[in-house]
């Protein structure tokens, strides 16, 4: 039997909570999520049943068949050797062209959106030109590309040319070792190859690549004419050389992409005419062939074209030319014109709304099969998922007009029906957003998907306007363009569209870890619990700190040191990206790069300066406990604390209980919140804002934990908040530490809303009561919560809606709970694919119910 | 020696294709594993020596 929430007295009446769907009364709590999937068609049901997930758990692939392919690394190496002496940007284009021309194509049974990025559907590509350490890890694993000897030889070849070799030169060995510990600082991108991008999909859909090629040709002709002018002026004339090379590289790349897509068209036609026996599928394959011949070469004419062109673009930008995590796009607005053509006007590729939902489900399953050749550390920090894939919907158009559409609804319906862990969805919340769509958002959350996560539409839009003022070429996002944004990865907003999008993670992204910094502040910068090395500056023996302010300043020094170092690493990476890792295809589809003849790795028009502090709340709660127990009440000395911490609290349990019971973040506690608000605004945001990054703007915090709260927790010794060494960190950017938000959901909102300065991009994780959310009042209560959240000017919130009973049942019998999805932090994961350590952190989160006091504060009308 | 040209899995690249080269073709083979059926297409040349998958029409 399903649990029903207890009645409460509210507004002088008794409120009962019967389930909205009475049939669920017969479903036990332990198996609820196994009863919620409803694929829209038999085809998507089959596709899901055979989905080739590439989930990782503790860094290992869950499916034993998954492995690295060799084709990409073979073909890019072959091209690199053959193109020696040519301009670097041309070499990059030739590298992409060689991969696309020679790679094996994959077409799977039942699929309508086609295209894959490796030579077998169980494989994923590797990127030796980025980081040889990441490839070396694969060579030592069961997933090694074959033949292994060839792969090893390729990796050896790239060592001297790789981004890793180039970036490492500008750091001392000590600095590199500090970063490679991944305990106060994330390892630099040049050593991990981790990346993110928001491709300008819109030019592909609207123009088609043939037009982009024509534009590049015209630019080259114009440049040549300028160079031929008499009298010759070298001060401007020589600038055309690099531009001509960039435009030439665009042409090479785009022609290769067209040929590659048309090879897919040939494959579909060959299979239709030579292998397929089902007449209906044969006809469909011929339609697929027609689509892949048309797009991305030509503009999209209908919705099927748009889905396919978008997919090919995604594969190039995120997996073939270079690895990049994410699925950044404003999908509903991008596809809405094609939805209108195909569904409303029925003038091309006519279909029903239900057909669109099926397309959405098929796209989600394509993403679910997408494998990422990322390094071990990054496989470890996204447990239970393939990678980070996040698309954005909802929000507003210029003038704060509702941007929700029937396409938005189709995306949400498809997500709710098919139930896949990826891609995650972000919904931009604004009061003008239509209720019909918000109800679908609710249904996804209520069904436990963990997405959409919610971002504050006005805050995000205003942030883009703020960053625009720092544009290096005075061409940042206009006020209108600032409305067209999506999240680049879990949390950081970036412009979408034809121009000014985020092109590489060296601008925005990357992490630092305050919990570990807190630990080393109490050891003069030395990491006694994990690496055994000096991780930061000598900030003094803490037992000599006479005042809390001395401790505060010591932390500031550690934080400033780490922050500047990781941003420097990113900017050095960016320097080399613009010299040796150009992306001519991305450049060709960006209007700015096309106009200016500047590669996408060099051009920065709209700054994106976000950087990610993870485990801030462990550090913040620690500062609160120290201030209260050592400096205010003087119950303990700093020496006693240091001694207890070095013993991992063993033998000091009474003392640990005092520190554990000190005021904690998320309870609307004035003592704790005053210190923590200042911590966020003065240090976490304040120190970051002093840094200027490649794009010319300040760096601001975008705290979101992904699975790093587990990874870093395991590398962080005991902390003064009462936490044992090795326990997980806090699971958001501004979320209360698991289990410590004891005053209900509105107390959490009140605490979080106190942080307002230079920080409005912090992740808030909340776990809501399943019986209340599934009751007849679920939507009303949640909607009033969201309206309050919006008015409190909080940037983000995301929800788990899954019972402890079901998670514990899944721990006992994982094979029976394949459809149980949970929100980790910034991404959703299949619960049974998360290591037990991580599963327990989700179970430990407080399940927030709504009492009469909460409902009164939210002004809920029941 | 048998070559790709004589194999039923060999399909010559049409002359109007962007990647057309004389003698170039697609090797298209059907595969099946526990998760289903799929087809692979690899570029080849008509004079390439045949492989283990060689099959006459």
């Amino acid at each position: 039997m399903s649990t029903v929430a207890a009645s409460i007295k509210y507004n002088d009446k008794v409120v009962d909570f019967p389930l909205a769907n009475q049939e669920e009364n017969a479903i036990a709590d332990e198996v609820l999520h196994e009863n919620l999937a409803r694929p829209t068609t038999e085809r998507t049901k089959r596709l899901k049943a055979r989905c080739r997930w590439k989930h990782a758990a503790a860094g290992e692939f869950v499916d034993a068949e998954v492995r690295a392919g060799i084709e990409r690394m073979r073909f890019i190496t072959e091209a690199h050797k053959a193109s020696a002496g040519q301009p670097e940007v041309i070499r990059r284009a030739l590298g992409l062209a060689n991969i696309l021309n020679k790679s094996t194509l994959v077409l799977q049974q039942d699929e309508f959106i086609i295209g894959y990025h490796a030579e077998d559907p169980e494989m994923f590509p590797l990127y030796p030109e980025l980081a040889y350490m990441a490839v070396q890890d694969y060579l030592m694993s069961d997933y090694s590309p074959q033949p292994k000897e060839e792969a090893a030889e390729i990796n050896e070849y790239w060592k001297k040319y790789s981004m890793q070799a180039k970036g490492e030169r500008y750091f001392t060995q000590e600095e590199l070792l500090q970063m490679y510990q991944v305990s106060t600082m994330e390892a630099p991108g040049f050593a991990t190859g981790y990346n993110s991008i928001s491709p300008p999909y819109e030019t592909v859909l609207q123009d088609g690549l043939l037009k982009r090629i024509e534009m590049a040709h015209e630019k080259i002709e114009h440049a040549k004419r300028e160079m031929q002018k008499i009298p010759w002026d070298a001060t401007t004339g020589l600038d055309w050389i690099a531009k001509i090379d960039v435009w030439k590289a665009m042409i090479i790349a785009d022609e290769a992409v067209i040929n590659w897509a048309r090879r897919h068209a040939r494959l579909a036609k060959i299979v239709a005419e030579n292998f397929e026996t089902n007449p209906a599928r044969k006809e469909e394959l011929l339609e697929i062939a027609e689509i892949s011949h048309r797009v991305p070469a030509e503009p999209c004419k209908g919705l099927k074209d748009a889905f396919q062109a978008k997919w090919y673009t995604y594969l190039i930008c995120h997996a073939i030319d270079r690895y990049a995590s994410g699925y950044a796009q404003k999908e509903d607005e991008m596809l809405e014109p094609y939805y209108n053509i195909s569904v409303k006007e029925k003038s091309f590729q006519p279909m029903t709304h239900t057909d669109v939902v099926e397309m959405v489900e098929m796209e989600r399953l394509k993403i679910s099969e997408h494998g990422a050749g990322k390094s071990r550390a990054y496989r470890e920090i996204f447990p239970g998922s393939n990678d980070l894939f996040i698309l954005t919907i909802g929000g507003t158009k210029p003038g704060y007009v509702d941007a929700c559409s029937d396409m938005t609804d189709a995306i949400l319906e498809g997500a709710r029906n098919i139930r896949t862990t990826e891609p995650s969805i972000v919904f931009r919340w604004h009061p003008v957003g239509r209720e019909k769509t918000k109800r679908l958002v609710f249904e996804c959350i209520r069904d436990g998907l963990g997405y959409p996560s919610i971002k504050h539409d006005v805050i995000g839009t205003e942030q883009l306007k703020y960053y625009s003022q720092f544009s290096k070429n005075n061409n940042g996002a206009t006020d209108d363009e600032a409305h067209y944004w999506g999240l680049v990865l879990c949390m950081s907003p970036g412009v979408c569209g034809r121009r000014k999008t985020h092109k590489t993670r060296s601008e925005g992204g990357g992490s630092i870890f305050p919990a570990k910094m807190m630990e080393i502040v109490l050891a003069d910068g030395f990491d006694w619990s994990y690496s055994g090395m000096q991780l930061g500056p000598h900030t003094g023996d803490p037992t000599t700190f006479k005042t809390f302010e001395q401790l505060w300043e010591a932390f500031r020094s550690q934080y400033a040191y780490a922050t500047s170092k990781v941003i420097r690493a990113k900017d050095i990476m960016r320097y080399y990206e613009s010299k040796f890792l150009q992306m001519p295809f991305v450049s060709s589809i960006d209007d700015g790069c096309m106009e200016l003849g500047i590669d996408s790795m060099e051009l920065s028009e709209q700054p994106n300066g976000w950087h990610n502090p993870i485990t801030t709340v462990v550090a913040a709660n620690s500062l609160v406990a120290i201030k209260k127990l050592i400096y205010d009440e003087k119950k303990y000395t700093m020496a006693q604390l240091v001694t207890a911490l070095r013993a991992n609290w063993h033998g000091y349990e009474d003392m640990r209980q005092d520190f554990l019971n000190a005021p904690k973040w998320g309870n609307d506690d004035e003592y704790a919140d005053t210190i923590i608000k200042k911590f966020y605004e003065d240090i976490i945001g304040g120190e970051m804002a002093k840094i200027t990054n490649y794009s010319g703007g300040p760096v601001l915090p975008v705290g979101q934990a992904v699975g790093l709260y587990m990874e870093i927790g395991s590398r962080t010794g005991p902390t003064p908040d009462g936490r044992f060494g090795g326990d997980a960190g806090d699971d958001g950017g501004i979320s209360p530490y698991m289990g410590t938000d004891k005053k209900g959901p509105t107390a959490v909102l009140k605490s979080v809303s106190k942080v307002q300065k230079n920080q409005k991009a912090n992740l808030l994780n909340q776990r809501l009561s399943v019986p209340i959310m599934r009751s007849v009042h679920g939507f009303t209560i949640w909607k009033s919560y969201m309206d309050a959240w919006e008015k409190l000017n909080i940037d983000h919130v995301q929800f788990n809606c899954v019972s402890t009973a079901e998670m514990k049942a899944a721990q006992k019998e994982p094979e029976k709970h394949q459809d149980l999805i949970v929100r980790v932090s910034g991404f959703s994961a299949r619960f049974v694919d998360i290591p037990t350590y991580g599963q327990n952190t989700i179970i430990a989160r407080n399940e927030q119910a709504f009492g009469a006091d909460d409902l009164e504060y939210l002004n809920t009308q029941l | 020696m048998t070559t790709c040209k004589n194999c039923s899995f060999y399909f010559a690249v049409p002359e109007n294709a962007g990647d057309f080269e004389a003698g170039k073709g697609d090797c298209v083979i059907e595969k099946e594993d526990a998760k289903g059926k799929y087809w692979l297409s690899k570029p080849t040349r008509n004079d390439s020596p045949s492989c283990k998958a060689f099959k006459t029409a």
Side-chain angles (χ1 to χ4, degrees):
Chain A
M1 290 288 288
S2 182
T3 299
V4 175
S7 305
I8 61 167
K9 196 171 176 194
Y10 174 56
N11 278 351
D12 298 326
K13 62 179 180 184
V14 174
V15 179
D16 299 323
F17 293 93
L19 296 178
N21 179 1
Q22 287 295 306
E23 290 172 8
E24 286 177 16
N25 279 314
I27 299 173
D29 292 346
E30 288 80 358
V31 293
L32 174 65
H33 286 210
E34 299 308 303
N35 287 277
L36 295 177
R38 290 175 182 81
T40 298
T41 62
E42 285 302 311
R43 182 223 296 264
T44 52
K45 192 175 178 182
R46 288 195 299 274
L47 284 169
K48 186 179 179 189
R50 75 108 173 94
C51 186
R52 300 171 189 272
W53 310 95
K54 295 181 178 66
H55 293 172
E60 306 295 337
F61 289 102
V62 175
D63 186 333
E65 301 300 314
V66 175
R67 59 208 186 278
I70 197 165
E71 280 195 355
R72 186 196 175 278
M73 58 195 296
R74 175 187 289 159
F75 297 140
I76 196 161
T77 307
E78 190 178 273
H80 193 257
K81 289 176 179 174
S83 62
Q86 298 209 47
E88 289 296 329
V89 68
I90 301 283
R91 297 182 80 186
R92 285 285 298 166
L94 291 170
L96 175 64
N98 202 48
I99 297 167
L100 296 178
N101 293 341
K102 294 182 177 173
S103 60
T104 300
L105 306 184
V106 177
L107 171 69
Q108 294 197 73
Q109 196 171 20
D110 268 330
E111 65 181 7
F112 191 88
I113 302 167
I114 66 168
Y116 195 65
H117 57 305
E119 59 265 40
D120 185 277
E122 294 290 347
M123 292 183 179
F124 53 83
L126 294 180
Y127 310 86
E129 73 275 27
L130 295 172
Y132 54 82
M133 282 199 307
V135 176
Q136 187 63 38
D137 169 58
Y138 280 105
L139 292 174
M140 297 187 298
S141 76
D142 294 339
Y143 329 115
S144 175
Q146 299 295 335
K148 193 172 174 179
E149 296 70 26
E150 182 188 351
E153 194 180 310
I154 289 170
N155 202 36
E156 192 62 32
Y157 169 80
W158 279 102
K159 276 188 180 173
K160 63 184 170 192
Y161 300 114
S162 65
M163 284 293 113
Q164 185 180 348
K166 291 179 169 68
E168 282 181 335
R169 291 175 199 147
Y170 300 92
F171 293 88
T172 65
Q173 190 65 14
E174 183 189 22
E175 286 177 318
L176 288 172
L177 284 173
Q178 287 172 346
M179 290 192 284
Y180 291 167
Q181 299 310 312
V182 191
S183 56
T184 53
M185 299 170 260
E186 184 175 342
F190 57 71
T192 64
Y194 192 71
N195 189 34
S196 52
I197 186 173
S198 300
Y201 290 106
E202 284 76 359
T203 55
V204 181
L205 273 60
Q206 293 163 11
D207 296 356
L209 297 183
L210 287 170
K211 184 176 175 189
R212 307 302 291 182
I213 291 170
E214 191 184 319
M215 290 164 80
H217 276 301
E218 286 170 5
K219 287 286 185 186
I220 292 169
E221 290 310 309
H222 172 75
K224 285 180 177 171
R225 286 195 299 275
E226 288 294 311
M227 290 183 83
Q228 288 161 354
K229 276 184 178 171
I230 297 171
W232 163 251
D233 179 358
T235 62
T236 55
L238 290 174
D239 292 345
W240 294 110
I241 294 174
K243 292 176 187 292
I244 287 171
D245 288 341
V246 168
W247 287 314
K248 279 184 178 174
M250 291 181 188
I251 293 167
I252 295 167
D254 283 6
E255 286 178 343
V257 173
I258 291 170
N259 287 341
W260 173 72
R262 288 180 172 173
R263 282 179 60 210
H264 283 86
R266 286 209 303 268
L267 171 59
K269 189 165 182 283
I270 289 166
V271 172
E273 294 173 346
N274 298 275
F275 296 89
E276 185 58 57
T277 53
N278 180 326
R281 177 61 176 167
K282 183 174 175 172
E283 194 179 324
E284 190 172 76
L285 283 165
L286 292 173
E287 186 185 13
I288 289 169
E290 182 192 315
I291 291 169
S292 284
H293 188 80
R294 184 167 48 249
V295 299
E298 299 171 30
C300 295
K301 295 169 74 174
L303 191 58
K304 291 176 181 174
D305 283 5
F307 269 105
Q308 186 63 65
K310 190 159 75 70
W311 183 252
Y312 283 140
T313 308
Y314 166 78
L315 287 179
I316 303 291
C317 297
H318 283 262
I320 296 177
D321 200 6
R322 184 177 172 188
Y323 162 70
S325 192
Y327 199 49
Q329 55 191 285
K330 185 65 175 51
E331 187 172 49
D332 53 349
E333 282 187 85
M334 182 183 359
L335 295 181
E336 188 188 358
Y338 307 100
Y339 178 99
N340 291 340
I341 289 168
S342 294
V343 179
K344 294 188 174 168
E345 299 163 16
K346 298 200 186 297
S347 55
F348 196 80
Q349 294 170 341
M351 61 173 79
T352 64
H353 181 82
T354 304
D355 294 333
V356 182
V357 175
E358 187 197 32
M359 290 293 291
V360 168
E361 291 177 19
M362 289 194 288
E363 184 191 42
R364 296 188 67 80
L365 289 162
K366 286 293 281 186
I367 281 288
S368 297
E369 297 198 319
H370 188 82
K374 56 185 189 284
S375 64
R376 171 170 292 275
Y378 286 87
R379 297 200 303 276
E380 288 177 1
I381 65 175
F382 309 135
S385 69
N386 293 2
D387 202 4
L388 291 181
F389 308 98
I390 298 117
L391 61 89
T392 302
I393 57 173
T396 57
K397 297 181 178 184
Y400 287 107
V401 173
D402 184 20
C404 294
S405 67
D406 291 347
M407 188 66 227
T408 318
D409 293 355
I411 292 167
L412 290 163
E413 288 169 53
R416 179 198 59 194
N417 294 355
I418 198 71
R419 287 184 70 84
T420 58
T421 42
E422 46 259 300
S424 184
I425 298 174
V426 178
F427 181 76
R428 288 168 42 189
W429 186 278
H430 191 280
V432 302
R434 65 189 194 182
E435 184 161 317
K436 179 187 172 195
T437 302
K438 286 177 177 171
R439 194 172 280 276
L440 287 167
V441 171
F442 165 77
E443 287 176 9
C444 289
I445 292 168
R446 177 201 63 188
D447 282 3
L449 298 177
Y451 54 80
S453 69
I454 316 288
K455 285 281 279 187
H456 194 292
D457 184 69
V458 176
I459 291 175
T461 305
E462 294 303 315
Q463 281 169 346
L464 294 191
K465 292 181 190 174
Y466 169 77
Y467 261 126
S468 177
Q469 70 183 297
F470 303 104
S471 171
K472 289 203 292 192
N473 67 351
N474 293 316
N475 194 30
T478 64
D479 284 359
D480 280 359
E481 287 169 341
H483 280 269
Y484 195 62
W485 59 268
L487 296 194
V488 178
L489 278 175
C490 305
M491 287 290 292
S492 55
V495 174
C496 295
R498 297 177 61 98
R499 184 171 189 160
K500 308 174 190 178
T501 68
H502 167 112
K503 303 298 190 314
T504 170
R505 190 169 175 80
S506 58
E507 200 172 330
S511 307
I512 50 168
F513 309 111
K516 187 72 187 180
M517 289 176 205
M518 185 70 236
E519 182 195 343
I520 67 168
V521 163
L522 298 177
D524 191 23
F526 184 76
D527 176 15
W528 61 271
S529 71
Y530 176 63
S531 67
M533 65 179 287
Q534 188 75 21
L535 285 184
H538 291 280
T539 44
D541 175 356
T543 63
T544 66
F545 295 166
K546 302 290 184 207
T547 65
F548 180 67
E549 286 66 35
Q550 282 179 281
L551 177 71
W552 187 269
E553 293 307 314
F555 186 92
R556 185 196 302 278
S557 296
Q558 295 292 348
Y559 182 82
Y561 173 83
T563 311
S564 265
K565 192 179 306 301
V566 292
I567 304 297
R568 173 159 63 101
K570 284 162 72 168
D571 288 338
I572 287 172
M573 170 79 169
R574 181 58 174 263
Y575 174 84
Y576 278 111
E577 285 176 314
S578 71
K579 307 287 182 202
F580 295 98
L581 208 67
Q582 299 93 333
M583 295 191 74
F585 175 71
V586 175
S587 306
S588 80
I589 60 174
D590 180 276
D591 278 348
C593 299
M594 180 64 77
E595 179 191 324
L596 302 169
I598 300 175
D599 185 80
S600 51
M601 293 301 101
E602 181 177 349
L603 182 64
S604 171
E605 298 197 282
Q606 168 71 12
N608 187 332
W610 302 106
H611 200 81
N612 183 8
I614 294 176
T615 66
T616 300
V617 168
V618 166
N621 281 338
S622 295
L623 285 167
V624 171
I626 290 172
K627 183 168 192 309
K628 183 172 194 299
L629 294 167
I630 295 179
Y631 291 103
D632 288 359
E633 297 177 0
K634 303 189 191 311
K635 185 168 183 181
Y636 300 100
T637 66
M638 186 67 89
Q640 286 174 302
L641 174 63
V642 169
T643 303
L645 291 175
R646 290 298 177 102
N648 197 18
W649 299 107
H650 292 308
Y652 300 89
E653 183 55 23
D654 289 346
M655 183 178 175
R656 189 183 82 87
Q657 287 297 327
D658 280 343
F659 280 80
L660 188 64
N661 292 322
K664 294 284 186 283
W665 178 243
N667 294 292
D668 193 26
D669 180 289
E670 193 182 341
Y671 184 89
D673 292 0
T674 301
I675 296 167
I676 293 174
K677 170 185 164 65
K678 189 179 173 196
F679 183 61
Y680 271 103
E681 296 184 349
D682 178 32
I683 295 185
I684 299 295
E687 286 302 315
M688 261 195 191
K690 292 176 182 173
I691 296 170
T692 303
N693 79 347
Y694 178 88
S695 61
V699 180
L700 293 177
V702 56
Q704 53 96 5
V706 287
L708 270 163
Y709 75 91
M710 307 172 201
E711 191 86 0
I712 297 308
S714 71
R715 295 173 187 190
T716 301
T719 39
D721 56 346
R723 180 186 148 277
F724 284 115
D727 281 355
D730 47 288
D731 54 56
I734 203 160
S735 299
Y737 189 75
M738 53 186 178
T740 64
D741 45 348
K742 296 177 176 171
K743 298 283 177 63
T746 55
V748 174
L749 292 184
K750 288 175 191 170
S751 282
V752 171
S753 69
K754 290 169 189 170
V755 178
Q756 289 290 343
K757 190 179 160 192
N758 67 26
Q759 296 306 290
K760 303 307 293 182
N762 282 316
L763 187 147
L764 174 60
N765 241 335
Q766 286 287 274
R767 186 177 161 204
L768 300 182
S769 154
V770 176
I772 288 179
M773 288 285 275
R774 300 198 76 79
S775 76
V776 293
H777 303 302
F779 177 69
T780 306
I781 291 172
W782 175 79
K783 171 78 165 34
S784 64
Y785 173 95
M786 289 308 308
D787 288 339
W789 167 91
E790 202 272 343
K791 284 182 189 146
L792 287 167
N793 209 38
I794 299 172
D795 173 62
H796 173 272
V797 65
Q798 65 180 28
F799 304 100
N800 259 307
C801 193
V802 53
S803 69
T804 296
E806 189 159 12
M807 289 190 277
K808 289 193 169 173
Q811 285 185 319
K812 284 182 189 157
E813 295 181 289
E815 66 285 353
K816 292 184 180 172
H817 296 271
Q818 295 294 301
D819 235 12
L820 178 58
I821 296 172
V822 291
R823 193 68 173 175
V824 180
S825 182
F827 72 103
S828 292
R830 180 188 280 166
F831 183 77
V832 298
D833 291 345
I834 301 173
T836 308
Y837 177 97
Q839 289 177 341
N840 289 340
T841 70
I842 294 162
I843 293 171
R845 295 174 192 174
N846 263 349
E847 185 175 323
Q848 301 284 11
F850 290 83
D853 289 350
D854 293 306
L855 298 179
E856 195 173 328
Y857 176 78
L858 300 173
N859 193 25
T860 311
Q861 301 299 312
L862 297 181
Chain B
M1 182 185 72
T2 55
T3 63
C4 286
K5 188 180 180 181
N6 310 113
C7 179
S8 59
F9 300 135
Y10 175 82
F11 301 89
V13 174
E15 287 187 19
N16 61 355
D19 61 336
F20 172 77
E21 288 171 23
K24 188 177 175 184
D26 298 322
C27 165
V28 177
I29 56 167
E30 184 175 293
K31 307 261 281 185
E32 187 163 9
D33 63 11
K35 290 169 193 153
K37 215 180 264 191
Y38 58 98
W39 293 267
L40 302 177
S41 172
K42 243 181 227 189
T44 187
R45 298 199 58 82
N46 59 11
D47 56 358
S48 297
S50 61
C51 65
K52 282 190 290 186
F54 180 83
K55 187 181 162 193
T56 51

